[in-house]
C-alpha cells in the first residue's frame, strides 16, 4: 500500500516551505523537506561593497537575528584585517548577543513551540488558558529588545555595530537603568526554565551529531572552536575541510553535511557541548527537574532555549555591572587584502561566514552559511525516525501535525536559509 | 493611572511613516505639551510586533490610541476608526520574525492588557512610490499629519480625562 501526505505550507515557522512524504508498505519511501523560497543572493549583493556596508546589509538577511549576521561578518572581516578588538568591545558584543538570544528564544518558546506541547493550535488560544505564562514571556522578550536597542540604536535591523566595535557607547545612566530592569527579570527567567522543564515533552531520543562553538571558559557567543559531538574541534577557517554543502533538486537552500552525515546546530547542541559553563542556579534547576545534559531528545530544545534566556540575563547583568564608558567604542580599522573567517552562535545555531577582501576594504567574495540550511538534512533524518516511531499508519492529519511539531522544534528560519510547510503524503 | 497612551506605529519608510510622524508632531504640539508625561504619554513605535505589549504590561493607562497607515482604496488622509471586531477579522500572522499589528492587539486583549478605552486610527495612505521610499516630508504628507494631530487633540481634550495644570 502506498500513501502520500503533503503539507503545502508549514505553519508557525518563518518562511515558505513544504514537506512531501511517500509511504510504501508502511515504510517511508521518500521524505523531502522542500524549501521553495527564492534564492536571496545576498552574497552577490555584497561583492564590491565597502567593509562597513557589509555589517548593515547582512543585518537585513534576518528580521530576528540581525545581531548574529552582524557579529559573524564583523569577526570574519576583522580576521581578514588582522584587527584585534579591546576587552570592552568583546564584552559588549556578548551583551548585544544576549539581547538577541533572549528576544528570539522567548518568541519561539511562547508563540511557536509551547502551543504544540500544551495542545493548542495557536498562540492566542494558548494565551487564553496560560495568560500569566505568555505575559511573562513578553516581559522577558522586552528585555532582549531593550538590550539590542542599547547597542544597536534601534531594535529592528540595528545599526550600531561596525567592523572594529560599535559606532557609539551607551551612556552609563542608560546602562544602570537597564541593569535594574534585567535584575527584575531574573525571577521570570527562573520560572520560565522551571516551567519548560516541567512540560510533558515527547521523547524522541536518538543518536545524532551536534555541532556548536566550544570555548574553554565561557558559554560561547562569538568565540571558540567549532566542535562536534563526534570529537572534531576546528577553527572557522577549517570549516569547509569538513563540512560540505550540496544542491538538492527539491530545495532552493543548500544541504549541509559533516563528512556526509547530518548534524544539529542550535540551542540544544550548544547546551550539550557547553553546559559545564552554566552558572550554578541553572545547573540546580536542571538537576531538580531531572533533565540530563547532554540530551539526544530534540524536544528538549525548548528547555535549552529557556536555559539560554536565563543565562543571557545573568551574563548581561554581570558584564554590564562592570560597565565603564570607553575612550573609544571601536578600533581604528586599516583594510588589508586577504581572507577572513568567523563563526558565531546565532539563536538558531552556528552561523559561519567567509570574506575575501581587497586592500581598499572592498568585498571580493562573500560566503554565508546560516543555521537553518545546516539543520535541513538533520530535520529530514529526524522526521524519518520520529514519524516511524509515531506510527506511519496514523491518520494523515495526525501525521501532518506531528511533522509540523518536529520541524517547528528546530525553529527554522527559512527566509534566512533562503523560508516554509506544505505536507504532501503519498501512500502505496 | 495615566489617562492616555498614544502609539504612532509604522516604519521609517515611505507612507508607512505616518503613525510615527503623527507621534513626533504630537510630542511638539503646544496645545498638549503641559499634559506630557504625567497625563499623556506618546511614543513612536518602529515595527513593534509583540513589543507593542511592552507598553501595556503595567496596565497603567485608561485609554490607548494607536495610529497606523492603512490602504483601503479611500482618499489619502481619510481617518478610519477601526473597531475590535473589524480588527479581529484581519488575517493573523505570527511567526518568529513578525507579528502584525492586529495579532499584537488581539493578544493584548486576550491577556487583558488592552485598556477598555481603545481607539485604532487607520490613516489612508496612497501606495508607496519608488522615489518616496526614504524619509520625505511632502506637503501632502505634512497636511495629513496636521489633520490627524488636530483630530487626536480634539478627541483627548473632549474626553475630560486631562486636567489643566
Amino acid at each position: 500500500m502506498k500513501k502520500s501526505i503533503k503539507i503545502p505550507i508549514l505553519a508557525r515557522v518563518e518562511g515558505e516551505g513544504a514537506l512531501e512524504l511517500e509511504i510504501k508498505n508502511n515504510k517511508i519511501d521518500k521524505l523531502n523537506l522542500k524549501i521553495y523560497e527564492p534564492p536571496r543572493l545576498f552574497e552577490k549583493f555584497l561583492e564590491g561593497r565597502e567593509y562597513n556596508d557589509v555589517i548593515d546589509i547582512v543585518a537585513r538577511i534576518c528580521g530576528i537575528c540581525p545581531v548574529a549576521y552582524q557579529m559573524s561578518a564583523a569577526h570574519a572581516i576583522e580576521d581578514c584585517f588582522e584587527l584585534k578588538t579591546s576587552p570592552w568591545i568583546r564584552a559588549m558584543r556578548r551583551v548585544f548577543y544576549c539581547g538577541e538570544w533572549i528576544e528570539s528564544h522567548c518568541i519561539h518558546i511562547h508563540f511557536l513551540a509551547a502551543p504544540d506541547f500544551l495542545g493548542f493550535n495557536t498562540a492566542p488560544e494558548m494565551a487564553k488558558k496560560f495568560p500569566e505564562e505568555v505575559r511573562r514571556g513578553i516581559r522577558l522578550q522586552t528585555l532582549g529588545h531593550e538590550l539590542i536597542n542599547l547597542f544597536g540604536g534601534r531594535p529592528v535591523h540595528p545599526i550600531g555595530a561596525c567592523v572594529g566595535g560599535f559606532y557609539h557607547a551607551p551612556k552609563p545612566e542608560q546602562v544602570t537603568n537597564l541593569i535594574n530592569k534585567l535584575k527584575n527579570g531574573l525571577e521570570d527567567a527562573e520560572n520560565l526554565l522551571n516551567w519548560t522543564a516541567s512540560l510533558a515533552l515527547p521523547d524522541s531520543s536518538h543518536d545524532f551529531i551536534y555541532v556548536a562553538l566550544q570555548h574553554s571558559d565561557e558559554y560561547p557567543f562569538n568565540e571558540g572552536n567549532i566542535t562536534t559531538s563526534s570529537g572534531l574541534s576546528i577553527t572557522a577557517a577549517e570549516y569547509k575541510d569538513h563540512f560540505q554543502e550540496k544542491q538538492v533538486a527539491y530545495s532552493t537552500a543548500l544541504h549541509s553535511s559533516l563528512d556526509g552525515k547530518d548534524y544539529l546546530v542550535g540551542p540544544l547542541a550548544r547546551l550539550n557541548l557547553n553546559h559545564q559553563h552554566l552558572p550554578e542556579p541553572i545547573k540546580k534547576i536542571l538537576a531538580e527537574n531531572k533533565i540530563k545534559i547532554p540530551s539526544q531528545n530534540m524536544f528538549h530544545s525548548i528547555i535549552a532555549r529557556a536555559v539560554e534566556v536565563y543565562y543571557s540575563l545573568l551574563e548581561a547583568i554581570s558584564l554590564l555591572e562592570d560597565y565603564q564608558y570607553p575612550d573609544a567604542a571601536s578600533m581604528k580599522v586599516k583594510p588589508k587584502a586577504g581572507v577572513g573567517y568567523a563563526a558565531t552562535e546565532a539563536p538558531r545555531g552556528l552561523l559561519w561566514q567567509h570574506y575575501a577582501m581587497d586592500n581598499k576594504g572592498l568585498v571580493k567574495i562573500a560566503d554565508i552559511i546560516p543555521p537553518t540550511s545546516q539543520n535541513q538534512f538533520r530535520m529530514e533524518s529526524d522526521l524519518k525516525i520520529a514519524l516511524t516511531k509515531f506510527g506511519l499508519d496514523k491518520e494523515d492529519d495526525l501525521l501532518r501535525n506531528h511533522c509540523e511539531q518536529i520541524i517547528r522544534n528546530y525553529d527554522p528560519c527559512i527566509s534566512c536559509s533562503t523560508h516554509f510547510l506544505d505536507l504532501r503524503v503519498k501512500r502505496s | 493611572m495615566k489617562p492616555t497612551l498614544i502609539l504612532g506605529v509604522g516604519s521609517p519608510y515611505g507612507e508607512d511613516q505616518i503613525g510615527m510622524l503623527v507621534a513626533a508632531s504630537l510630542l511638539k504640539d503646544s496645545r498638549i505639551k503641559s499634559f506630557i508625561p504625567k497625563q499623556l504619554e506618546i511614543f513612536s513605535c518602529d515595527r513593534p510586533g509583540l513589543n507593542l505589549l511592552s507598553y501595556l504590561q503595567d496596565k497603567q493607562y485608561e485609554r490607548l490610541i494607536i495610529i497606523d497607515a492603512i490602504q483601503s482604496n479611500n482618499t489619502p488622509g481619510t481617518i478610519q476608526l477601526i473597531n475590535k471586531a473589524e480588527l479581529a477579522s484581519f488575517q493573523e500572522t505570527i511567526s518568529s520574525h513578525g507579528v502584525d499589528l492586529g495579532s499584537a492587539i488581539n493578544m493584548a486583549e486576550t491577556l487583558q492588557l488592552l485598556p477598555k478605552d481603545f481607539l485604532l486610527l487607520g490613516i489612508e495612505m496612497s501606495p508607496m512610490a519608488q522615489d518616496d521610499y526614504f524619509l520625505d516630508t511632502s506637503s501632502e504628507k505634512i497636511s495629513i499629519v496636521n489633520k490627524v494631530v488636530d483630530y487626536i487633540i480634539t478627541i483627548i481634550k473632549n474626553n475630560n480625562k486631562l486636567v489643566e495644570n
Side-chain angles (χ1 to χ4, degrees):
Chain A
M1 181 195 159
K2 197 172 177 184
K3 176 176 173 172
S4 173
I5 296 180
K6 294 181 180 185
I7 300 181
I9 297 173
L10 283 162
R12 304 213 312 274
V13 294
E14 169 56 26
E16 291 162 9
L19 184 67
E20 197 158 25
L21 176 64
E22 285 190 19
I23 301 168
K24 198 173 176 181
N25 298 327
N26 213 29
K27 282 188 177 166
I28 293 173
D29 193 40
K30 185 169 101 179
L31 188 150
N32 289 342
L33 188 55
K34 299 166 80 172
I35 290 180
Y36 52 81
E37 176 106 359
R40 298 174 71 206
L41 309 171
F42 266 88
E43 287 135 322
K44 291 307 268 185
F45 295 155
L46 290 169
E47 287 178 11
R49 304 302 294 246
E50 189 258 348
Y51 58 91
N52 265 336
D53 285 352
V54 174
I55 310 305
D56 289 337
I57 293 171
V58 295
R60 298 300 177 131
I61 293 175
C62 181
I64 195 71
C65 45
V67 173
Y69 281 90
Q70 292 185 313
M71 290 299 99
S72 286
H75 282 89
I77 294 171
E78 287 160 11
D79 180 45
C80 174
F81 294 170
E82 296 179 356
L83 176 68
K84 300 278 176 238
T85 54
S86 67
W88 184 91
I89 291 164
R90 182 185 191 280
M92 293 310 117
R93 281 179 168 173
R94 280 181 74 76
V95 178
F96 194 30
Y97 231 136
C98 285
E100 183 158 283
W101 280 16
I102 294 169
E103 180 167 33
S104 177
H105 286 347
C106 284
I107 293 174
H108 188 262
I109 291 170
H110 297 91
F111 297 97
L112 307 177
D116 278 334
F117 301 125
L118 294 167
F120 298 97
N121 289 319
T122 66
E125 276 178 41
M126 190 187 93
K128 287 177 193 161
K129 296 279 182 189
F130 292 88
E132 178 42 34
E133 284 78 1
V134 176
R135 280 195 284 261
R136 180 179 66 208
I138 290 165
R139 287 195 296 270
L140 286 165
Q141 182 204 328
T142 303
L143 295 174
H145 195 76
E146 292 198 33
L147 275 168
I148 297 173
N149 205 19
L150 183 71
F151 291 95
R154 63 184 189 192
V156 184
H157 302 306
I159 46 172
C162 59
V163 172
F166 294 95
Y167 288 107
H168 294 287
K171 291 178 182 153
E173 54 268 31
Q174 286 177 284
V175 172
T176 307
N177 182 31
L178 190 48
I179 289 173
N180 292 332
K181 290 184 182 177
L182 296 174
K183 283 184 175 171
N184 289 337
L186 286 173
E187 189 181 343
D188 277 344
E190 184 183 335
N191 290 339
L192 171 65
L193 178 52
N194 270 309
W195 182 64
T196 58
S198 68
L199 291 171
L201 301 171
D203 185 358
S204 72
S205 298
H206 58 277
D207 273 340
F208 56 84
I209 297 168
Y210 41 86
V211 178
L213 290 182
Q214 196 175 47
H215 193 277
S216 55
D217 48 30
E218 64 190 17
Y219 204 87
F221 285 97
N222 288 303
E223 293 174 17
N225 266 5
I226 298 170
T227 305
T228 75
S229 54
S230 52
L232 188 69
S233 178
I234 56 169
T235 63
E238 297 168 311
Y239 178 86
K240 288 238 167 164
D241 296 339
H242 300 273
F243 293 85
Q244 302 82 35
E245 281 191 300
K246 69 169 184 180
Q247 186 76 60
V248 290
Y250 53 86
S251 175
T252 52
L254 296 170
H255 264 212
S256 292
S257 59
L258 167 62
D259 298 326
K261 293 177 183 158
D262 66 82
Y263 63 96
L264 172 77
V265 296
L268 188 62
R270 272 195 299 265
L271 179 64
N272 281 348
L273 288 165
N274 295 282
H275 59 97
Q276 64 278 16
H277 297 308
L278 291 173
E280 282 310 315
I282 297 179
K283 285 182 182 168
K284 188 167 171 264
I285 293 174
L286 291 173
E288 284 169 356
N289 285 281
K290 297 182 172 54
I291 305 295
K292 287 188 181 157
I293 306 294
S295 166
Q296 297 279 151
N297 182 4
M298 267 310 298
F299 287 112
H300 279 163
S301 295
I302 191 170
I303 300 173
R305 288 190 179 90
V307 163
E308 291 189 339
V309 169
Y310 194 3
Y311 173 75
S312 297
L313 264 186
L314 290 166
E315 180 71 354
I317 292 168
S318 165
L319 292 167
L320 289 176
E321 279 188 323
D322 293 333
Y323 186 84
Q324 292 199 328
Y325 193 77
D327 292 333
S330 66
M331 313 302 292
K332 200 169 179 186
V333 179
K334 195 175 169 198
K336 184 174 178 292
V339 294
Y341 304 86
T344 71
E345 286 288 348
R348 285 155 192 78
L350 194 78
L351 169 53
W352 182 88
Q353 296 189 29
H354 152 63
Y355 294 90
M357 311 290 291
D358 69 14
N359 56 10
K360 291 179 185 156
L362 304 179
V363 175
K364 288 166 72 180
I365 297 169
D367 193 0
I368 300 172
I369 304 184
T372 294
S373 70
Q374 296 186 71
N375 273 341
Q376 210 184 165
F377 188 11
R378 174 85 274 276
M379 281 189 269
E380 288 185 342
S381 301
D382 190 352
L383 281 161
K384 283 177 191 164
I385 295 164
L387 287 176
T388 304
K389 201 171 171 182
F390 183 67
L392 295 170
D393 53 348
K394 294 252 171 50
E395 288 173 20
D396 286 7
D397 279 351
L398 289 173
L399 282 176
R400 189 173 288 116
N401 286 342
H402 198 60
C403 287
E404 289 204 279
Q405 188 177 0
I406 290 163
I407 293 165
R408 268 198 294 272
N409 198 35
Y410 286 80
D411 192 11
C413 175
I414 299 173
S415 305
C416 292
S417 74
T418 132
H419 268 297
F420 227 178
L421 197 63
D422 174 4
L423 172 66
R424 297 166 195 216
V425 181
K426 197 170 161 188
R427 297 178 194 260
S428 68
Chain B
M1 258 188 146
K2 292 185 181 183
T4 302
L5 170 67
I6 298 177
L7 300 176
V9 171
S11 76
Y13 307 109
E15 306 305 322
D16 195 31
Q17 294 170 77
I18 198 71
M20 295 169 70
L21 290 176
V22 168
S25 184
L26 280 167
L27 272 170
K28 289 186 278 187
D29 198 296
S30 59
R31 290 171 287 177
I32 53 171
K33 213 162 188 173
S34 62
F35 301 120
I36 303 170
K38 285 191 175 171
Q39 300 186 60
L40 177 62
E41 287 205 276
I42 302 167
F43 297 99
S44 287
C45 305
D46 179 358
R47 294 158 285 181
L50 286 168
N51 283 302
L52 190 86
L53 278 62
S54 65
Y55 294 94
L56 307 174
Q57 58 194 11
D58 297 331
K59 298 184 181 178
Q60 56 174 327
Y61 302 102
E62 292 173 27
R63 156 178 274 192
L64 169 65
I65 300 174
I66 293 180
I67 309 122
D68 198 3
I70 58 166
Q71 284 183 348
S72 59
N73 296 320
N74 276 308
T75 311
T78 304
I79 300 171
Q80 293 200 51
L81 286 176
I82 299 165
N83 62 36
K84 285 183 197 166
E86 288 166 328
L87 196 61
S89 69
F90 292 174
Q91 193 181 358
E92 292 197 343
T93 52
I94 296 184
S95 80
S96 58
H97 291 49
V99 175
D100 65 284
L101 181 65
S103 301
I105 293 170
N106 287 336
M107 183 61 83
E109 186 162 34
T110 302
L111 296 175
Q112 299 175 344
L113 297 175
L114 198 64
K116 277 186 183 161
D117 196 349
F118 164 63
L119 281 176
L120 173 58
L121 304 186
I123 315 302
E124 185 76 24
M125 300 303 287
S126 52
M128 191 166 68
Q130 205 172 0
D131 58 358
D132 197 23
Y133 192 68
F134 296 102
L135 285 168
D136 81 301
T137 45
S138 64
S139 56
E140 186 193 13
K141 202 175 281 177
I142 290 169
S143 80
I144 293 174
V145 169
N146 292 339
K147 178 181 168 183
V148 179
V149 165
D150 288 346
Y151 184 86
I152 291 171
I153 288 179
T154 307
I155 291 176
I156 57 181
K157 285 221 160 186
N158 287 343
N159 175 254
N160 294 330
K161 282 180 178 165
L162 300 180
V163 182
E164 293 285 353
N165 288 322

